[in-house]
Structures are given as C-alpha cells and as structure tokens.
Amino acid sequence: VYQSGKPPLYNSLEEASKSTGLSEMHLSYESGRYTNMAYIKLKRHHHHHQENESRRRLNDEEEDDDDPSKPKTKGYVCNKGTIAWDTKVKILSELNSFIDMHHLRQKFFKIDINNQGFNYGSFGMFHSFILWVVLRKTKPTVVIESGVAGGYTSWLISKATEEWNPLIVRIDPKLKGWDGMNLNPNASKMVNLRGDEYQDLTEVDWDALYAKHGLSRADKATTLFILDDHQDQVTRLSQIRQMGFQRVVVQSNFVPGVGDAFSLKDACDATGFVRRNFNSSTLKSVPIQPNRCTNYHKTCEKIDPFESQLVALDLDDMVKTYWEGPPLSPIVRPYQAVIPFIVDKNIFEGPKVWTDNHDRLVVESTKAPFYDTLQLASTVTGFSEEYLAFESGRYVNIAYVELNPIEE
C-alpha cells in the first residue's frame, strides 16, 4: 500500500501536525482512512465528418427516412493525420503505369476485361489502384500479404515493386492460384507461407525470417502489411503493432454493420449511428444489437454501444495516420457485388432488404472520386463507362494506416 501511493506532502506526523494544527493522533487516524484519489483529463475523441446532432441522438430513437422532418444519419469518412503524397496530382501520377499493369494482369490471369462475373475483392480496379499508389509511394523493403487467395494482389505487388525488389511474404491457409514464381523476375524474393507451410502472421518468427534474408529488426519500420484475411481488423492492427510493425494496408474495409469481419470503419463508427442503418430487422431501421465478427463470419459476438466506444478509443490510440483512398469514378452501383453475400448467401452481416438509404450511406461513407463523372473517368482511363460503373459496384473502401510505435 505504501509503495502504491505517492510520498506524502510532509515527511513525518510531527511536521504535518505543526503545519496543519491537527494532532498527530488525528493525522494517524486519517492516514488509515486514506484511499488513493486520481484526477483525469480525457482526450477528446473526434469522429470526422459526422454531424454532431446525429451523434447525440438516443439509441432508442427510430429513424424514418419517409419522414423529411426527421434528420437522417449521414455517412462519413474516418481520417487521422497526414501523408506527404495525399494530393490529387501525386496520386494520379501513378495512374498510367497502373492502367498498363491492369491490362497485363487481366491478360495474365486470362480474364476478359468485360467479364462481370467477379465479386468484390482484390481484383477490383478502384481499390487495386489505391494499393498500387501506396506501394509506389512508400517503397517498402518488405511486403507481407495476409490473405492471398488466387494471387491477383500478389501479382500487382510484384509488378509495382519491380524497381526495388522487396522481400514479399505471402500468408494463406490454402495453396491455390498464382504460385509467385511463374513469369516473376524477382521470384527469389518471394516467400510462401501457404498450404502446408501456413503460419498465421502472429505465429511467424519474424526476427528469424528477416535475418535469413539479410534484414534486421530496423527493417520492420519500412515493412508494409496488406490485410485481406477476413479477420477482425482492429485486433489485427493491435497484433501487428505488438510485433513492432507500423505500416498497414487494410482491404475489405466495409461500412459499419456490413461484411464478414469487424472493420476499421466499424470501429470508427463508435456509438453506431451508421451501423444501426445496416444492422436492422425492418425497412424502418429498427436496430438489433450488432455483431463483432471475425474469421470469415464464423465467430461473432454481440457488441453494445459502450463497447463500441471503447474499441474506437483503442483504435485512436493505436493509429498515427488513417487514410482512405478515393475511387476513380463515382460510385453509381454501391456494393452491388457485396449485396448477394448478405441477401442471397447469408454469409455477411448486413440488411436483408437493401434500400436506397443504404446506397446513400455507402456513397457518403466514401471519399469523393478522383473524377466527377463516369464520362470524364472513361475519357482519362480509356475504359468504358459501363465497365467503370461495374467496378464501382465492386468497390469496398481500402485504408492505409500508420501505427504509433510501442514505447519500449
């Protein structure tokens, strides 16, 4: 008890008695009643671009989009910190090289550019462009891809980084798709932890792996993780930070209340005013208690508003920089490729009846596009307006995150 309290203002009962005029016996008695007391000043937690009035609404208030007199919940985009290359000119300077790569990737994987049979995911054009930009601007010495699937993202990584040839580590419990060796001039720098060699990113001895390839612990600061492994994204950031890494790209960063794993946008929503619109039992958005899911929606737990706020604060403490990449063109078919996973396949969180209100919130929860119209985007990129509209339906937010290092 002595060691768990600060030293007293007076070093002896006698000195304290003389100063206060109280007897030593009384002071001795008061010392027996003393329990530590703390003064706390809380950091203010900001939810960017979210209307304060919406935040103050009670949890049991029912939103009615048919009633224009009631305020509508608005979507918003999380943001924290700044990055040097976050300007339209700097980002779009990578567009031509990306378009060349996109055509080559379609050809390599024998995918017809007009094929509209693919769901959302790493093969999508809009978020592939953001990943291409992050790789080109950060020039990581090591790229760790957790969640490989068919290898479409792996192929993009290898093309984007050919100039400096980083170590690329691929992690996936399944062994399928591109092997990383075929037509890859930098195949010797590709490490596959897939199939029988699979280890979760938390199980890998990163210090030993780095040493094996002539790298040191200092190279962790210039390593880039790419997460598309359908695990709780806030938990993943915490794990990556605990291992000493700082840079992460998070794909499948769904709007709150949608998807097969708890997203960073879910955490940003804190008290859940956006989430409640996507996690409802009726068209009138009567809320049901949302889930916090992980592992491809196989493990879900209920999360209440108080817990949601704690998760938001945890994320804020971990993150130095949080940046979401804009789509190339307007989102004219919001989540078109995602909705079947909610409504038909029943393997995602989300509303069983998708409405115009959901479309609106997805658009509002996405940054303004680089090009204001499909026509302008088509003119610049050379892709048809129909193809760009299709890609807008596959777009799911992607985030670049820089983590605060843990003080040793």
Side-chain angles (χ1 to χ4, degrees):
V1 173
Y2 292 146
Q3 292 171 348
S4 298
K6 283 187 175 180
L9 296 175
Y10 301 103
N11 293 326
S12 66
L13 287 172
E14 182 181 6
E15 183 183 357
S17 177
K18 289 180 180 179
S19 180
T20 63
L22 300 171
S23 70
E24 293 184 26
M25 180 177 293
H26 181 76
L27 292 170
S28 177
Y29 159 69
E30 287 293 343
S31 78
R33 295 206 295 164
Y34 179 73
T35 300
N36 295 90
M37 180 178 181
Y39 167 68
I40 299 170
K41 187 175 182 179
L42 298 173
K43 290 194 300 182
R44 187 173 181 179
H45 187 66
H46 297 280
H47 299 286
H48 300 272
H49 309 297
Q50 175 74 345
E51 288 190 349
N52 290 334
E53 189 61 32
S54 294
R55 286 282 170 196
R56 287 195 292 267
R57 283 173 25 210
L58 296 174
N59 286 336
D60 60 356
E61 177 185 342
E62 181 178 337
E63 180 175 296
D64 188 346
D65 281 301
D66 296 328
D67 184 353
S69 67
K70 290 188 176 182
K72 292 182 173 65
T73 299
K74 289 190 176 181
Y76 64 97
V77 178
C78 291
N79 185 66
K80 184 177 182 180
T82 58
I83 48 180
W85 40 267
D86 184 20
T87 69
K88 189 172 181 178
V89 171
K90 290 179 180 179
I91 293 173
L92 292 181
S93 69
E94 301 291 344
L95 182 58
N96 288 338
S97 61
F98 167 77
I99 291 173
D100 291 341
M101 181 284 306
H102 190 67
H103 284 294
L104 287 172
R105 185 168 64 161
Q106 297 276 16
K107 184 178 179 180
F108 182 83
F109 287 98
K110 296 182 173 61
I111 303 300
D112 182 354
I113 198 74
N114 295 310
N115 185 334
Q116 298 187 12
F118 277 74
N119 58 32
Y120 82 95
S122 58
F123 204 71
M125 178 182 173
F126 291 177
H127 39 286
S128 288
F129 174 58
I130 296 302
L131 177 56
W132 178 270
V133 170
V134 173
L135 287 163
R136 302 282 295 170
K137 297 302 185 184
T138 61
K139 288 185 165 50
T141 54
V142 182
V143 181
I144 301 170
E145 183 188 7
S146 183
V148 176
Y152 305 136
T153 296
S154 302
W155 199 90
L156 180 152
I157 295 167
S158 69
K159 290 299 179 185
T161 61
E162 279 182 343
E163 295 175 16
W164 65 94
N165 192 20
L167 182 70
I168 299 174
V169 182
R170 308 166 76 206
I171 302 174
D172 200 295
K174 296 181 180 179
L175 182 62
K176 63 178 184 178
W178 184 50
D179 61 6
M181 306 297 162
N182 183 27
L183 299 179
N184 181 9
N186 299 326
S188 62
K189 299 291 289 291
M190 186 82 73
V191 176
N192 277 294
L193 300 178
R194 303 189 302 151
D196 292 340
E197 303 298 320
Y198 167 72
Q199 298 178 69
D200 185 75
L201 63 87
T202 60
E203 300 169 341
V204 178
D205 186 340
W206 293 110
D207 289 343
L209 190 148
Y210 274 44
K212 181 180 178 179
H213 292 274
L215 300 166
S216 67
R217 295 187 69 183
D219 291 299
K220 288 184 174 182
T222 54
T223 293
L224 180 68
F225 266 86
I226 299 173
L227 296 180
D228 199 7
D229 55 11
H230 304 268
Q231 305 299 310
D232 185 309
Q233 293 173 359
V234 177
T235 300
R236 276 304 201 207
L237 287 192
S238 178
Q239 293 167 342
I240 289 168
R241 182 170 177 250
Q242 290 289 334
M243 295 185 293
F245 299 100
Q246 297 175 27
R247 295 178 178 178
V248 189
V249 169
V250 180
Q251 303 201 89
S252 301
N253 188 17
F254 291 101
V255 295
V258 173
D260 60 353
F262 194 75
S263 69
L264 299 188
K265 290 180 81 68
D266 244 318
C268 283
D269 194 36
T271 48
F273 284 106
V274 174
R275 183 187 300 115
R276 60 177 285 166
N277 285 265
F278 289 95
N279 203 299
S280 57
S281 56
T282 73
L283 286 173
K284 297 298 183 183
S285 296
V286 177
I288 57 176
Q289 191 173 358
N291 286 323
R292 181 176 182 176
C293 298
T294 189
N295 193 23
Y296 292 87
H297 204 242
K298 295 176 182 176
T299 304
C300 295
E301 295 180 354
K302 297 294 182 183
I303 181 169
D304 62 34
F306 178 71
E307 292 172 306
S308 297
Q309 292 179 69
L310 293 180
V311 174
L313 291 172
D314 286 343
L315 180 64
D316 189 48
D317 286 339
M318 284 193 289
V319 169
K320 174 185 176 183
T321 304
Y322 178 97
W323 177 82
E324 290 185 12
L328 282 168
S329 76
I331 303 298
V332 297
R333 300 176 185 174
Y335 276 28
Q336 185 178 64
V338 176
I339 295 170
F341 289 83
I342 303 170
V343 177
D344 301 327
K345 298 182 181 181
N346 200 33
I347 56 176
F348 275 14
E349 294 288 295
K352 300 309 177 187
V353 178
W354 193 273
T355 69
D356 290 344
N357 183 48
H358 300 123
D359 283 349
R360 175 182 63 80
L361 284 165
V362 170
V363 173
E364 291 176 351
S365 299
T366 302
K367 280 187 176 177
F370 288 112
Y371 301 106
D372 294 336
T373 65
L374 289 173
Q375 183 180 12
L376 179 57
S378 176
T379 300
V380 173
T381 64
F383 295 105
S384 70
E385 292 183 35
E386 175 58 30
Y387 179 71
L388 292 170
F390 160 66
E391 286 291 349
S392 80
R394 297 207 289 166
Y395 180 72
V396 175
N397 297 92
I398 179 172
Y400 169 67
V401 177
E402 294 175 352
L403 298 169
N404 288 314
I406 295 177
E407 296 182 5
E408 296 184 359

